[in-house]
Amino acid sequence: PETARMDSLQVAADCVEAIPDTRALLLECTNLSPWKDEMRQRHGVEVYDVVDLLQWVLTAGRANAGPTVAHVG
């Protein structure tokens, strides 16, 4: 797990470094989701995954519903 964490954080760093005006990262694999908060803190960008997308879709029809994101882990 620690190797995966460090590799994931490094890829995020590489992305933000390669494109300095990056405002968000999209994680295509839910195996990366446990490190979303750390990526946000380290790189100052928003980090989203498929769970966020599903929450937005499911709440889209509700009046005054904004995205609600909960980290479970």
Side-chain angles (χ1 to χ4, degrees), residues 22-26 36 39-40 43-48 56:
T22 298
R23 295 178 54 195
L25 297 173
L26 174 62
K36 284 176 15 178
M39 289 178 190
R40 282 186 190 112
H43 307 298
V45 298
E46 290 298 322
V47 182
Y48 301 105
W56 295 332

Side-chain angles (χ1 to χ4, degrees), residues 6-29:
M6 294 305 294
D7 288 348
S8 299
L9 294 172
Q10 185 60 54
V11 169
D14 293 346
C15 290
V16 173
E17 184 178 317
I19 306 172
D21 61 344
T22 298
R23 295 178 54 195
L25 297 173
L26 174 62
L27 305 179
E28 295 182 348
C29 176

Side-chain angles (χ1 to χ4, degrees), residues 3 35 42 62:
T3 300
W35 304 295
R42 284 185 178 214
R62 294 189 215 156

